């Protein structure tokens, strides 16, 4: 019988796979404004979430006590999404996803600030180490063409970290996972709609197809990540989120001919190493 933690691990790895595919399809869609890509990505997720709500007879009206948390989750999730899509278009796929995968470290920080979860000294060391690793990807002062998109990618990781913390709080309040996805998708569609209408860029059938595939993959990832954090807290399963870097690096090599730079690889090793160390130390202390 699967424990709640094992279910969380399964869903977070599944989410990593789906989100890596989403990133690949977004890149393959070509030179289209990030807001336009975001609209398609969220529109598909919104359709799936609406179908699930109707099928399960779940109300579309948010619970008053959860409304603020839903808005915060949607706002920071949308911010993270916009930044991530911008970074995907400007950086190697693995770099963009690595910066976005700093979200678990941000989730630990905001779990401490918002949920008052205790943070042990070793966790502080691991978080600091992760941000040192980030400098190898940002490469400040060495390549200004890379630094700005990388900083935007880092901001995306911050937004995602806060959003996942909100998901954890909402799950603790027994909010339906499907409704969390629905609210976020609807909010993101409305936020990107003005840009979609007034700055629309014509697309080929092939580009539309890739964006629809990105939306399908994102839907799978969104439902999976929401399920993961509803089964277990971020501090117990976040390490497995880094499997997305493996998937993304593989897609980048196979489909885009992208090979990470030496500096980026060093950054990956430091960040992933910090995450693994944090996980192993926690497990030993609990044992």
């Amino acid at each position: 019988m699967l424990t709640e933690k094992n279910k969380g691990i399964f869903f977070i790895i599944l989410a990593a796979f789906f989100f890596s595919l989403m990133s690949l399809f977004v890149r393959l869609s070509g030179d289209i404004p990030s807001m336009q890509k975001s609209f398609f990505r969220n529109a598909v997720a919104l359709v799936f979430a609406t179908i699930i709500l109707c099928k399960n007879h779940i109300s579309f009206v948010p619970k008053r006590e959860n409304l603020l948390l839903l808005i915060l989750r949607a706002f920071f999730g949308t911010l993270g999404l916009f930044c991530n899509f911008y970074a995907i278009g400007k950086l190697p796929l693995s770099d963009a996803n690595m910066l976005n995968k700093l979200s678990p470290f941000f989730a630990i920080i905001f779990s401490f600030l918002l949920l008052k979860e205790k943070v042990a000294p070793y966790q502080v060391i691991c978080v600091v180490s992760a941000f040192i690793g980030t400098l190898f990807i940002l490469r400040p002062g060495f390549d200004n063409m890379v630094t700005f998109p990388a900083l935007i990618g880092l901001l995306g990781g911050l937004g995602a970290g806060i959003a996942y913390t909100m998901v954890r709080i909402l799950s603790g309040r027994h909010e339906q996972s499907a409704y969390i996805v629905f609210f976020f998708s609807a909010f993101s569609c409305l936020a990107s709609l003005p840009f979609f209408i007034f700055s629309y860029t014509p697309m080929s059938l092939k580009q539309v197809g890739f964006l629809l595939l990105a939306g399908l993959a994102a839907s799978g990832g969104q439902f999976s990540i929401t399920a993961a954090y509803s089964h277990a807290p971020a501090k117990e399963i976040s390490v497995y989120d880094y499997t997305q870097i493996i998937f993304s690096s593989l897609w980048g090599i196979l489909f885009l001919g992208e090979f990470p730079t030496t500096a980026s690889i060093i950054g990956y090793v430091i960040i992933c190493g910090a995450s693994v160390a944090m996980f192993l130390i926690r497990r030993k202390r609990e044992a």
Side-chain angles (χ1 to χ4, degrees), residues 157-212:
L158 171 64
I162 299 175
Y164 292 152
T165 304
M166 295 301 108
V167 169
R168 182 64 187 161
I169 299 174
L170 286 165
S171 297
R173 293 189 176 191
H174 306 291
E175 184 62 81
Q176 296 283 342
S177 297
Y179 191 81
I180 297 174
V181 174
F182 167 80
F183 194 94
F184 164 65
S185 300
F187 183 97
S188 296
C189 281
L190 290 175
S192 57
L193 186 59
F195 300 93
F196 180 80
I197 294 174
F198 297 109
S199 301
Y200 178 75
T201 298
M203 298 179 293
S204 67
L205 187 61
K206 182 179 179 180
Q207 288 177 310
V208 172
F210 278 130
L211 287 179
L212 290 176

Side-chain angles (χ1 to χ4, degrees), residues 69-85:
L69 291 172
L70 285 166
I71 292 174
L72 289 173
R73 186 270 179 269
F75 174 80
F76 285 106
T78 299
L79 174 66
L81 182 67
F82 288 168
C83 292
N84 183 231
F85 275 24

Side-chain angles (χ1 to χ4, degrees), residues 39-49 189 211-212 214-216 219:
F39 179 84
F40 272 87
R41 176 253 192 252
N42 289 302
V44 175
L46 180 60
V47 170
F48 277 97
C189 281
L211 287 179
L212 290 176
L216 288 172
S219 298

